[in-house]
Amino acid sequence: MTEIRQKLLSILEDIAPRDGETHSIQENTVFSMIGEAFEGRMPLALEQEYLAEFHNLFRTGYLAWGHNLSNASRPFFHITAIGKRAIEIGRRDPSNPIGYMAHLNSIASLPEISTSYLDEALHCFVSAQHKAAAVMLGAASEAIAIDLRDAVVATFGPEDNLPNNLNNWLISKVLNGLKTFFDGKKSEFPRETKEKYEAYWAAFTHQLRTTRNDVGHPTSLNPVSEEAVHASFLIFPEIAQLANHLKKSIES
């Protein structure tokens, strides 16, 4: 299904009005372009999968029916602000899980547990289940932190005076312990690692954790917004890359 979504987003990018353009777009244009890609030979089951995913883009707010008040219904439709954002960011946007993972894998590697939670986070996000996406993304980031903690503990011994809270069961304590440790070591980091640490560690410990905690311990009906979860997805590859740099530095 994610491959179908990727193809649909690519088609929408091709037919979307550019700056200053006001022409209308219609659903038959999308269906014709899908058919052309398969030279008119598509199994019925595949056609129905494309239809289901096309209508799912309406359900989750990427598309809406109508062009203007004079043409307010099918076959006309328009790309919403969320849809335009997904197209503008392109293949790196979490609305396109295949493209998002390809981008992430091109700059960083993840622990297997983190990948498992991230896959589910992306599935939740494209289904507009933003609270669930926040929790799964928070778990994916915690798995990165635990993997990083394990690398520190495996590399350094008691004589290095590691922070006591590195082995605490609370992830917040572990993150604080890692920060204490890395703050003491950052003068020894390569320049790129030091710059990434100073730029992205706060996002590691604040944005993702805060978003998840707001959902896990809710005080309102809407503890997290779609925009906040989207922002967390966009920063996650940078956090994963930072973790890779830090792990490489301490192991070397």
Side-chain angles (χ1 to χ4, degrees):
M1 187 66 75
T2 51
E3 292 179 357
I4 291 173
R5 185 182 184 90
Q6 184 180 42
K7 178 62 178 177
L8 285 171
L9 289 174
S10 178
I11 289 174
L12 291 172
E13 183 179 6
D14 289 340
I15 66 175
R18 308 304 179 196
D19 290 343
E21 296 179 343
T22 60
H23 67 268
S24 63
I25 50 180
Q26 301 184 32
E27 58 182 330
N28 287 340
T29 303
V30 176
F31 302 149
S32 296
M33 293 178 72
I34 295 171
E36 290 172 3
F38 288 87
E39 298 180 348
R41 297 189 295 272
M42 292 180 66
L44 176 60
L46 183 58
E47 290 184 356
Q48 291 176 342
E49 287 183 21
Y50 268 98
L51 286 171
E53 188 60 26
F54 181 66
H55 291 293
N56 191 46
L57 290 172
F58 286 86
R59 182 186 68 81
T60 53
Y62 290 81
L63 304 177
W65 292 116
H67 171 62
N68 54 24
L69 294 181
S70 299
N71 300 280
S73 58
R74 300 176 67 171
F76 300 100
F77 72 94
H78 65 274
I79 303 170
T80 66
I82 295 177
K84 290 176 181 176
R85 183 190 66 193
I87 291 173
E88 287 171 359
I89 297 176
R91 291 178 174 84
R92 295 188 298 167
D93 195 79
S95 62
N96 178 358
I98 289 179
Y100 180 89
M101 288 302 300
H103 166 65
L104 191 154
N105 290 332
S106 71
I107 65 172
S109 60
L110 293 177
E112 187 175 352
I113 294 176
S114 184
T115 300
S116 174
Y117 279 95
L118 180 59
D119 285 342
E120 190 158 335
L122 288 166
H123 178 78
C124 292
F125 184 78
V126 299
S127 300
Q129 298 169 344
H130 301 126
K131 298 187 190 75
V135 172
M136 292 297 100
L137 190 59
S141 68
E142 289 182 8
I144 292 177
I146 292 170
D147 181 68
L148 195 54
R149 184 274 312 277
D150 290 346
V152 171
V153 172
T155 304
F156 296 88
E159 68 278 5
D160 295 296
N161 296 318
L162 294 177
N164 292 330
N165 51 5
L166 278 180
N167 290 313
N168 198 288
W169 68 275
L170 290 170
I171 191 64
S172 59
K173 300 284 189 181
V174 173
L175 289 170
N176 289 337
L178 286 171
K179 184 178 188 305
T180 298
F181 174 78
F182 289 131
D183 281 350
K185 293 288 185 181
K186 67 181 180 180
S187 63
E188 304 172 29
F189 290 162
R191 178 179 177 182
E192 182 181 6
T193 302
K194 182 179 179 180
E195 290 176 349
K196 285 185 176 295
Y197 175 72
E198 293 176 340
Y200 293 112
W201 186 262
F204 201 164
T205 59
H206 178 70
Q207 185 178 16
L208 292 173
R209 285 287 303 158
T210 299
T211 301
R212 183 188 173 187
N213 283 346
D214 285 346
V215 176
H217 306 283
T219 57
S220 68
L221 291 176
N222 297 299
V224 62
S225 66
E226 186 272 346
E227 291 83 1
V229 180
H230 184 261
S232 293
F233 272 107
L234 294 185
I235 201 68
F236 185 85
E238 301 296 338
I239 290 171
Q241 188 182 52
L242 167 62
N244 286 180
H245 278 275
L246 292 172
K247 190 174 179 181
K248 182 178 179 180
S249 293
I250 62 177
E251 291 177 346
S252 63

